[in-house]
Amino acid sequence: MKKILWCLLMAPFFCAAQSVSLKPLNEITKTSLRGLSVVSDKVIWVSGNNGSVGKTVDGGKNWQWVKPKGYEKLDFRDIEAFDDKQAIIVNAGSPAYILKTIDGGTNWTEHYKNADSAIFLDGLAFWDKNKGIIFGDPIKDKMQLLKTVDAGKTWEDISPNLKVSLAKGEAGFAASGSTIKTLSGGKVWISTGGMVSNIYYSDDYGQNWSVFKCPIWQGKETTGPFSMDFYNSKVGVVVGGDYVQDKINANNVLLTSDGGQTWEKPITPVLGYRSGVTYVNAKTLVATGTSGTDLSIDGGKNWKHISDQSFNAIQRSKKGKAIILAGEKGSVYQLSLN
């Protein structure tokens, strides 16, 4: 009888026979990892500070670490990989660079440089192997937007396409490279935070934009949305909070069912600040941050804290089932849900 009562009280998490485990794949590299691209269950790329880029082709058993020559001091906040040979990285700060490799990381070529003192690129995402987009903090109140249609060889400044100016103190966060999300057909969402939080949406590859209010925790330079994911064109989630108060969960997770036009709070929120979130499937979501990781198995309505371990980014395999997390001190872990 006690077991039945406990099950009723703790539903839906434990009664669904959901077991959770975290397996370390790497813990020996001296770099803070924020860029993560999980191509498949075997091929994983990561990027971080000190000019570091890591890659595994066997699911994390062995890693190859490189520092692109001439860029050893950069902080590579985001990475997009297409296979075990091709990847694109962007750094935070000025000068801003976009680098690409086509030989597995041995050699890197520079395809963009911006020496403006105000430039700060926050994240990149691709619609397919050729078409991609990068966004950055505003310069003179205008969000920086770059677009490629040739797999990153050239980048066009499409910032003028966004007709509205950003508010004073409104900018992006590059905590995990996941405040930008693309879906097929030209759909892209970009979230901003700080003093004001908004969602910028385009359904035509960045030619025209709509702006939606995002009622997440905001009003300080350290607050806002730090990660976003969409399961489809309508259903999505955004997480964040205040990274200097990472154990507070006042208003740091929101859900949308209309493509980001409106947002609502879940019944039970994540436990604290979160800088990464991913859909595992329509019902299962995982969010992570410096104060731990949370799991939802009901579409984000209720969250259960599953680990106190610190991470920056999380992503589900594009061509498999692996769920990978990355964080400080080169830590890369695999999360298993059974």
Side-chain angles (χ1 to χ4, degrees), residues 19-27 286-289 292-294 305-311 313-314 323-326 331-338:
S19 64
V20 179
S21 63
L22 277 168
K23 174 185 176 183
L25 302 181
N26 182 75
E27 295 181 296
V286 185
T288 197
T293 300
D294 303 283
H305 191 64
I306 58 174
S307 172
D308 290 331
Q309 190 163 345
S310 171
F311 293 103
I314 184 170
I323 306 167
I324 305 298
L325 303 95
S331 62
V332 183
Y333 276 65
Q334 181 169 348
L335 176 66
S336 296
L337 305 174
N338 300 303

Side-chain angles (χ1 to χ4, degrees), residues 77-78 90-91 120-124 134-137 171-180:
R77 292 291 183 94
D78 201 4
V90 297
N91 70 296
F120 194 105
L121 301 180
D122 293 296
L124 76 155
I134 294 175
F135 89 102
D137 286 354
F173 289 112
S176 62
S178 56
T179 46
I180 182 171

Side-chain angles (χ1 to χ4, degrees), residues 80 82 88-90 97-100 109-113 121 123-127 130-135 145-158:
E80 182 78 17
F82 305 96
I88 294 173
I89 48 177
V90 297
Y97 296 95
I98 302 172
L99 308 180
K100 182 177 180 179
T109 53
E110 181 183 306
H111 293 272
Y112 174 87
K113 179 180 179 180
L121 301 180
L124 76 155
F126 273 71
W127 291 284
N130 291 314
K131 300 185 185 71
I133 186 170
I134 294 175
F135 89 102
L145 293 167
L146 302 170
K147 180 181 175 182
T148 182
V149 294
D150 55 10
K153 293 179 182 178
T154 60
W155 293 87
E156 176 190 1
D157 183 358
I158 62 167

